[in-house]
């Protein structure tokens, strides 16, 4: 139970980081009416945010592995606040691209899953790691449940610009939580719980030499390559849905408030889904549980395509997708930790998350592009089903095993 405090602290950081990000879909409609912005520009800014987030992950992860998560999260929280200020004050394509795209993309990379879950994983024992990762992910989902209704109220009461500015104080809370993590990584938890092949003295502390060895291990590990490729589908799914779900609700005939309700429902059911996934990952094969998640995603989206969408169906679909939303994250992070140990977990999960965010870029951008060309999202839903089935098959091909030891002895 002593390890639980790290799961709770990580959950607080993720609640703000992911919760604020979950509200961005609510700003699509008001910002699309601003001159020179429109749906396409907004979707491109969110796509750019996702790509920056993914591309920065391996580098931010290495810095966190080397110097600790606390300074990384603190700087990320500051960038988050500046990005929100630029979006709210400028109200222009430049403000969206630089503030919402570049700065918030970097900020989410510094405060999101890769850094926060790696810190939690490093600070908890092997026996409790999967469950604590699930706790942190589930509590992070609470922010996704609570903040969309708040943002919707702020937009209607104060306007979209002031709403963005009023979210900035939350980033200060995230900064305070991050600074309460240990300032530097400790080698003790890693050495105690890493696979024996990776707990050697040569890898006892993060270094460029150790990094090159762990990367060589990762790129030779078939399971790491397959799970990274499968994670691309997760990014495509969640980015498309988070960005375009409120707009899809209007197509289903739902009232404007239903968009905020749907995002909140996603966050609520994500609490259950991520906690359950983390628990199941401690009992059963993580890759088999992941395959089941992607199969359920394919089935749920296929059912949506086969029936007439209504406001009620729209909200039920949001609940189902919420249950499956980020359930992949504790399982993917846990798989990497078991295969390679936790010393370079932020770096390796950062590489995997880069694949996730490449998918996220195309999910957000392609959704806006297809809607602009066709006036519907039907093609995108079909693409989501196909990708989910491919991801399921990729995870069934993975054999869960520790990475083979690469010799660290001098020639």
């Amino acid at each position: 139970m002593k390890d639980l405090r790290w799961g709770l602290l990580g959950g607080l950081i993720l609640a703000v980081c992911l919760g604020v990000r979950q509200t961005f879909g609510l700003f699509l409609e008001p910002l699309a009416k601003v001159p020179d912005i429109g749906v396409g520009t907004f979707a491109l800014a969110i796509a750019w945010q996702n790509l920056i987030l993914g591309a920065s992950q391996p580098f931010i992860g290495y810095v966190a592995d080397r110097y600790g998560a606390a300074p990384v999260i603190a700087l990320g929280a500051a960038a988050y606040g500046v990005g929100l200020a630029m979006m709210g004050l400028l109200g222009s394509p430049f403000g969206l691209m630089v503030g919402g795209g570049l700065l918030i993309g970097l900020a989410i990379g510094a405060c999101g899953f890769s850094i926060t879950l790696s810190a939690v994983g490093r600070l908890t024992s092997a026996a409790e790691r999967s469950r604590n990762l699930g706790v942190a992910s589930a509590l992070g989902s609470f922010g996704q449940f609570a903040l969309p209704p708040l943002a919707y109220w702020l937009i209607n009461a104060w306007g979209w610009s002031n709403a963005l500015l009023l979210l900035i104080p939350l980033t200060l809370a995230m900064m305070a939580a991050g600074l309460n993590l240990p300032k530097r990584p400790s080698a003790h938890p890693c050495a105690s719980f890493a696979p024996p092949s990776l707990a050697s003295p040569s890898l006892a502390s993060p270094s460029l030499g150790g990094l090159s060895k762990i990367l060589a291990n990762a790129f030779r590990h078939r399971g790491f390559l397959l799970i990274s490729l499968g994670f691309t589908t997760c990014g495509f799914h969640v980015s498309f849905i988070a960005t375009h779900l409120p707009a899809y609700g209007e197509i289903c005939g739902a009232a404007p408030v239903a968009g905020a309700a749907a995002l909140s429902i996603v966050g609520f059911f994500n609490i259950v889904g991520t906690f359950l996934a983390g628990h199941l990952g401690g009992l059963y094969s993580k890759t088999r549980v992941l395959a089941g998640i992607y199969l359920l995603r394919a089935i749920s989206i296929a059912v949506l395509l086969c029936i007439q969408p209504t406001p009620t169906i729209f909200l039920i679909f949001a609940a189902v997708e919420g249950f499956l939303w980020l359930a992949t994250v504790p399982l993917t992070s846990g798989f990497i930790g078991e295969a390679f140990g936790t010393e370079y977990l932020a770096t390796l999960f950062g590489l995997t998350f880069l694949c996730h965010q490449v998918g996220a870029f195309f999910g957000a951008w392609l959704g806006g592009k297809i809607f602009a060309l066709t006036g519907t999202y039907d093609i995108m839903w079909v693409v989501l089903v196909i990708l989910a089935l491919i991801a399921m098959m990729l995870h069934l091909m993975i054999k869960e095993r520790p990475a083979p030891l690469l010799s660290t002895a001098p020639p």
Side-chain angles (χ1 to χ4, degrees):
M1 293 299 293
K2 181 176 68 174
D3 289 344
L4 183 61
R5 68 185 186 277
W6 304 120
L8 295 173
L9 194 61
L12 174 59
I13 296 166
L14 291 175
V16 175
C17 179
L18 302 180
V20 172
R21 184 189 185 194
Q22 186 81 345
T23 68
F24 289 153
L26 299 174
F27 291 91
L28 187 154
E29 183 179 359
L31 276 167
K33 298 176 181 177
V34 175
D36 300 324
I37 293 183
V39 174
T41 300
F42 183 89
L44 181 60
I46 298 300
W48 175 240
Q49 176 193 106
N50 282 294
L51 190 60
I52 290 293
L53 164 58
S56 67
Q57 282 298 277
F59 306 102
I60 294 177
Y62 176 72
V63 172
D65 284 334
R66 187 73 185 268
Y67 301 106
V72 171
I73 292 173
L75 290 173
Y80 217 134
V82 174
L84 289 171
M86 289 188 66
M87 290 177 66
L89 293 174
L90 297 182
S92 66
F94 177 81
L96 277 179
M97 293 296 176
V98 177
L102 176 62
L103 290 179
I104 293 183
L106 291 172
I108 297 172
C111 304
F113 279 120
S114 179
I115 304 304
T116 302
L117 291 187
S118 296
V120 172
R122 180 179 287 115
L123 293 166
T124 54
S125 66
E128 295 296 323
R129 186 172 298 133
S130 183
R131 290 181 177 85
N132 272 280
L133 291 172
V135 167
S137 298
L139 289 178
S141 301
F142 179 77
Q144 295 177 299
F145 162 69
L147 290 187
L150 173 63
Y152 180 81
W153 177 79
L154 291 174
I155 291 170
N156 282 276
W158 299 93
W160 66 265
S161 178
N162 289 325
L164 287 166
L165 299 179
L166 290 170
L167 292 174
I168 293 175
L170 295 175
T171 65
L172 299 177
M174 181 167 56
M175 180 185 295
L179 289 174
N180 276 282
L181 294 172
K183 298 300 184 293
R184 294 179 61 85
S186 169
H188 174 69
C190 306
S192 299
F193 301 110
S197 62
L198 297 177
S200 62
S202 63
L203 297 179
S205 61
S207 65
L208 288 176
L211 176 64
S212 65
K213 293 180 177 64
I214 206 73
L215 290 178
N217 257 4
F219 292 128
R220 288 172 45 151
H221 195 278
R222 184 168 177 264
F224 179 81
L225 299 177
L226 289 174
I227 206 167
S228 298
L229 186 59
F231 212 32
T232 306
T233 292
C234 182
F236 193 98
H237 280 184
V238 300
S239 179
F240 167 72
I241 293 174
T243 305
H244 298 280
L245 189 63
Y248 181 72
E250 294 189 15
I251 295 175
C252 297
V257 69
L263 292 176
S264 184
I265 287 171
V266 167
F268 175 79
F269 281 91
N270 190 29
I271 298 172
V272 181
T274 50
F275 182 81
L276 180 60
H279 178 71
L280 292 176
L283 300 175
Y284 306 106
S285 163
K286 293 177 176 60
T287 55
R288 297 300 182 268
V289 177
L290 281 165
I293 289 171
Y294 285 110
L295 175 60
L296 290 176
R297 284 189 185 183
I299 293 172
S300 63
I301 297 170
V303 169
L304 181 70
L305 283 170
C306 294
I307 60 179
Q308 179 67 32
T310 65
T312 301
I313 294 297
F314 169 68
L315 294 177
I316 292 174
F317 176 75
V320 173
E321 294 309 302
F323 183 75
L324 305 170
W325 188 248
L326 296 177
T328 59
V329 174
L331 296 167
T332 302
S333 178
F335 170 84
I336 295 172
E338 288 185 357
F340 299 96
T342 59
E343 190 73 18
Y344 291 89
L345 181 56
T347 305
L348 293 178
F349 187 65
L351 288 171
T352 301
F353 202 69
L354 171 57
C355 296
H356 183 280
Q357 292 310 110
V358 169
F361 172 86
F362 286 104
W365 171 75
L366 195 59
K369 191 71 173 178
I370 288 178
F371 183 80
L373 292 174
T374 68
T376 73
Y377 290 111
D378 290 349
I379 294 175
M380 283 297 294
W381 292 124
V382 173
V383 172
L384 262 64
V385 172
I386 294 171
L387 290 178
L389 293 174
I390 292 174
M392 178 197 70
M393 291 185 288
L394 290 175
H395 285 85
L396 290 175
M397 295 166 60
I398 297 174
K399 295 181 179 180
E400 296 184 33
R401 57 182 176 82
L405 174 66
L406 293 182
S407 175
T408 60

